[in-house]
């Protein structure tokens, strides 16, 4: 029993550490190309090396870090190819979600979405990117839950990390964020109208926003991107 508890504690420590490192990578606190030391991570976070090792394995699975010969573990650079694939999968899943939402949508989730959009608008107007992005994610979660397919978000959650890193470089002002709020309103308006084609098109337009900004961001921050 003691061994089981110890294993469970190590597993939970690894999960917490993985989530913290993922947040730092997505938030660009750990920059693309940065070297990560298992020993240093363990010491900094006050854990043994086993949780640190497991956390890095989880991040490698998400392709947020990779092991390079003679360089050790490094934060992956932003890959345009991976980002495009992630966006493709996310569009396929989330357009299907809003189509289903047009058929039936949970009343409580719908009420919650109104509050989430108001919060997004408030933090966008204040230029608070980090809080805006958190409520942006809550909006998409609520769509999946309201449509009765919350597992769809589990598919999206990890792959969107590659898109989220780019978002850190694009959501830099209030007008940009307020434009995304307007797109959220268009999505929910189409769901309210029970129009699956309009809802899917509004979601597609929303998820294409990042592609419009990508050439500029890549030109401004070439050191953060993988070489073609």
């Amino acid at each position: 029993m003691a061994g089981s508890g110890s294993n469970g504690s190590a597993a939970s420590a690894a999960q917490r550490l993985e989530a913290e490192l993922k947040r730092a990578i997505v938030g660009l606190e750990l920059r693309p190309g940065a070297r990560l030391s298992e020993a240093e991570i363990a010491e900094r976070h006050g854990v043994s090396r086993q949780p640190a090792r497991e956390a890095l394995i989880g991040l490698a699975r998400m392709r947020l870090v990779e092991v390079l010969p003679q360089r050790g573990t490094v934060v992956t650079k932003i890959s345009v190819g991976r980002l495009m694939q992630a966006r493709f999968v996310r569009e396929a899943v989330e357009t299907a979600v809003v189509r289903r939402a047009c058929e039936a949508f949970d009343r409580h989730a719908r009420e919650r979405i109104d509050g989430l959009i108001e919060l997004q608008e408030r933090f966008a107007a204040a230029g608070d990117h980090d809080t805006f992005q958190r409520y942006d994610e809550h909006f998409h979660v609520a769509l999946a839950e309201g449509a009765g397919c919350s597992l769809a978000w589990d598919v999206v959650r990890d792959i969107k990390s590659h898109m989220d890193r780019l978002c850190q470089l694009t959501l830099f002002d209030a007008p940009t964020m307020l434009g995304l709020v307007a797109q959220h309103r268009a999505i929910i308006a189409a769901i309210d109208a029970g129009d699956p084609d309009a809802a899917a098109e509004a979601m597609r337009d929303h998820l294409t926003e990042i592609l419009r900004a990508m050439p500029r961001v890549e030109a401004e921050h070439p050191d953060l991107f993988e070489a073609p």
Side-chain angles (χ1 to χ4, degrees):
M1 293 294 289
S4 175
S6 176
N7 290 339
S9 176
S12 61
Q15 291 166 357
R16 287 194 301 271
L17 184 53
E18 181 181 321
E20 176 61 21
L21 291 172
K22 177 184 174 184
R23 183 200 62 75
I25 291 171
V26 168
L28 298 180
E29 294 169 29
L30 288 172
R31 306 284 281 182
R35 294 179 63 180
L36 300 179
S37 161
E38 182 182 297
E40 288 177 6
I41 288 171
E43 182 177 357
R44 186 181 311 120
H45 293 270
V47 299
S48 68
R49 293 187 64 161
Q50 180 184 344
R53 185 179 305 116
E54 291 178 3
L56 290 175
I57 289 171
L59 293 169
R61 196 176 298 119
M62 287 184 263
R63 299 190 180 184
L64 291 175
V65 304
E66 61 183 335
V67 179
L68 298 178
Q70 301 179 340
R71 288 192 62 195
T73 302
V74 299
V75 177
T76 58
K77 294 203 170 188
I78 298 172
S79 163
V80 172
R82 269 197 300 271
L83 192 148
M84 295 290 285
Q85 290 181 55
R87 199 206 68 87
F88 174 82
V89 173
R90 186 173 181 184
E91 179 181 302
V93 172
E94 292 212 78
T95 53
V97 166
V98 295
R99 283 186 175 277
R100 183 165 176 174
C102 289
E103 300 171 5
F105 201 69
D106 179 75
R107 178 173 57 86
H108 297 296
R110 178 63 187 86
E111 291 171 357
R112 190 164 74 253
I113 281 174
D114 284 335
L116 291 172
I117 290 178
E118 288 177 10
L119 286 167
Q120 289 166 27
E121 195 161 44
R122 181 192 309 169
F123 289 110
D128 186 341
H129 165 265
D130 289 339
T131 309
F132 171 83
Q133 195 164 14
R134 184 164 68 250
Y135 283 109
D136 176 277
E137 182 164 316
H138 290 336
F139 170 82
H140 288 272
V141 172
L143 285 179
E145 291 176 347
C149 46
S150 57
L151 285 177
W153 185 254
D154 293 340
V155 173
V156 169
R157 185 176 51 231
D158 286 342
I159 63 166
K160 72 184 282 292
S161 300
H162 298 284
M163 299 174 68
D164 288 343
R165 286 205 289 177
L166 191 63
C167 286
Q168 292 290 328
L169 301 168
T170 60
L171 299 181
F172 53 84
D173 59 18
T176 301
M177 290 185 280
L178 288 169
L180 296 179
V181 175
Q183 292 171 1
H184 284 176
R185 291 190 186 281
I187 292 167
I188 201 64
I191 291 172
D192 287 342
D195 187 337
D197 289 339
E201 184 56 35
M203 178 61 78
R204 193 172 295 111
D205 180 62
H206 178 56
L207 296 178
T208 301
E209 192 69 34
I210 198 167
L211 299 184
R212 302 183 186 110
M214 189 159 58
R216 172 184 58 78
V217 175
E218 192 175 5
E220 291 174 354
H221 304 276
D223 56 310
L224 302 183
F225 286 79
E226 276 187 4

